[in-house]
Amino acid sequence: MGNTVAREDFEWVYTDQPHADRRKEILAKHPEIKALMKPDYNLIWVVVLMVLAQLTAFYLVKDLDWKWVIFWAYVFGSCISHSMTLAIHEISHNSAFGNSKAMWNRWFGIFANLPLGLPYSISFKRYHMDHHRYLGGDGIDVDIPTNFEGWFFCTRFRKFIWIVLQPFFYAIRPLCINPKPITRLEIINLLAQLSFDVMIYYLWGVKSTFYMLAGSVLGLGLHPISGHFIAEHYMFLKGHETYSYYGPLNLLTFNVGYHNEHHDFPNIPGKSLPLVKKIAAEYYDNLPQYNSWIKVLYDFVMDDTISPYSRMKRQLKGEVKQD
């Protein structure tokens, strides 16, 4: 089961996050990157097709044996569901319709949310903007695990369980670290989702409903794509806060693996992040990077020096503005 890891607290740093300074430096040297700061209208059609694909799957599984419902929920539904959460990530950055039509993006995010079964889109947007502005900010960035997670999930077996339970921690953590008043849009997101779930149950029954919910939970837990949760910011190398992944699963995840590039330029859609890396190769080629999310998951569990504590954390100074 492994020994308790040596780390007993987060890596506290007293410097600003590196992304703002690197963005200024890259834009001064490569101003042509500004041309990539525009919506990705193809995202709209991809999301619509993904929703239709899941609706088709809901129909097809309604009369299957339970073993096949579970099988397809993990093999197919989980991939689509996790990919959809990353489409919602893109939409949260206004990549579908652009910054001038912010509300169109919010409504579209609620639509993209439907086949996940659980309301997610609006709340994610609010907390994710904090993650970009205040990366590692104590009490603000809910991507940082709680002290309980760092303290308890400290052996190989417990870290494995922590990975399996990732969707639950991502749901509960904001309530523990940085609870926010519920907004009108969050209520709309909830009511739209409940209405959709009831409709699926009424039309196609419990197996379709189970497939929908199980796909989301399984896809965000012990799943190859879930390696990105750990790959993005967990400190496998001391002093490095953000890591990119350049493997094939970027094709299913809207290039979320290009994570240094994304934090440097959050207003550039995922489709164009490989171009950012190509244009500014001298800034990215020598940064620590991954080519396998599965290996990231394996290394996280097996390396006794890595745990949920392996994150950089900073005490924020000055005025903090949150969504």
Side-chain angles (χ1 to χ4, degrees):
M1 287 172 58
N3 299 317
T4 302
V5 297
R7 180 173 291 279
E8 295 180 354
D9 195 3
F10 298 100
E11 179 80 10
W12 286 88
V13 293
Y14 302 94
T15 57
D16 292 334
Q17 58 166 297
H19 299 288
D21 288 342
R22 187 160 62 218
R23 175 166 57 249
K24 291 177 184 177
E25 193 173 326
I26 290 174
L27 285 176
K29 190 171 181 180
H30 301 287
E32 65 271 26
I33 284 178
K34 293 179 182 178
L36 302 176
M37 299 175 182
K38 57 185 180 182
D40 175 15
Y41 295 116
N42 288 331
L43 176 63
I44 300 168
W45 307 114
V46 172
V47 167
V48 169
L49 288 174
M50 290 169 69
V51 171
L52 292 176
Q54 279 294 68
L55 284 172
T56 302
F58 296 163
Y59 174 77
L60 292 175
V61 302
K62 67 185 179 67
D63 295 320
L64 294 181
D65 290 339
W66 275 107
K67 63 182 179 183
W68 290 112
V69 175
I70 297 170
F71 173 82
W72 287 114
Y74 187 78
V75 171
F76 182 77
S78 63
C79 295
I80 296 291
S81 290
H82 200 138
S83 183
M84 188 64 89
T85 67
L86 295 168
I88 290 171
H89 167 253
E90 287 284 291
I91 296 165
S92 76
H93 286 281
N94 295 333
S95 292
F97 295 98
N99 293 322
S100 64
K101 296 180 178 178
M103 280 305 299
W104 288 37
N105 289 282
R106 302 294 78 74
W107 294 120
F108 191 57
I110 292 173
F111 168 75
N113 196 153
L114 294 176
L116 296 179
L118 300 167
Y120 165 81
S121 177
I122 299 301
S123 296
F124 173 79
K125 155 74 175 176
R126 299 178 71 197
Y127 284 103
H128 188 63
M129 294 305 102
D130 294 341
H131 171 65
H132 275 274
R133 292 190 194 111
Y134 308 112
L135 180 63
D138 183 33
I140 302 295
D141 184 359
V142 299
D143 193 59
I144 299 286
T146 61
N147 280 307
F148 170 78
E149 292 171 73
W151 168 76
F152 184 77
F153 295 99
C154 57
T155 66
R156 293 178 183 179
F157 177 73
R158 291 182 188 179
K159 287 190 288 181
F160 175 81
I161 297 301
W162 184 76
I163 290 172
V164 172
L165 297 179
Q166 276 294 291
F168 299 101
F169 287 115
Y170 270 90
I172 294 169
R173 200 181 289 151
L175 303 177
C176 300
I177 294 177
N178 186 18
K180 297 184 179 186
I182 297 174
T183 65
R184 181 179 66 92
L185 276 178
E186 284 175 305
I187 294 172
I188 293 171
N189 194 176
L190 172 63
L191 293 177
Q193 192 62 60
L194 288 175
S195 300
F196 180 81
D197 295 352
V198 169
M199 182 188 74
I200 294 300
Y201 179 79
Y202 177 79
L203 289 176
W204 297 322
V206 67
K207 290 180 180 178
S208 296
T209 308
F210 174 85
Y211 168 90
M212 172 173 60
L213 296 171
S216 295
V217 173
L218 293 171
L220 296 170
L222 187 62
H223 194 281
I225 297 177
S226 291
H228 81 86
F229 288 133
I230 293 169
E232 289 165 359
H233 297 293
Y234 283 80
M235 195 172 51
F236 281 79
L237 290 176
K238 186 174 177 63
H240 291 277
E241 187 168 13
T242 306
Y243 301 76
S244 287
Y245 156 83
Y246 300 123
L249 288 177
N250 277 309
L251 295 172
L252 298 177
T253 58
F254 301 91
N255 286 329
V256 76
Y258 287 76
H259 216 66
N260 268 301
E261 295 85 347
H262 172 61
H263 271 267
D264 289 352
F265 299 99
N267 55 344
I268 294 180
K271 180 188 75 172
S272 298
L273 293 178
L275 276 175
V276 172
K277 180 180 184 296
K278 182 178 180 181
I279 292 169
E282 69 273 24
Y283 289 92
Y284 297 113
D285 284 353
N286 294 322
L287 292 177
Q289 56 190 252
Y290 302 111
N291 291 302
S292 170
W293 277 334
I294 295 175
K295 188 175 187 303
V296 168
L297 291 172
Y298 177 83
D299 289 346
F300 178 82
V301 171
M302 300 305 292
D303 188 335
D304 292 337
T305 67
I306 304 296
S307 78
Y309 269 143
S310 300
R311 292 290 298 264
M312 284 191 182
K313 202 172 184 181
R314 43 179 59 86
Q315 194 75 47
L316 296 175
K317 302 174 182 178
E319 185 180 2
V320 175
K321 296 180 180 179
Q322 300 183 66
D323 284 357

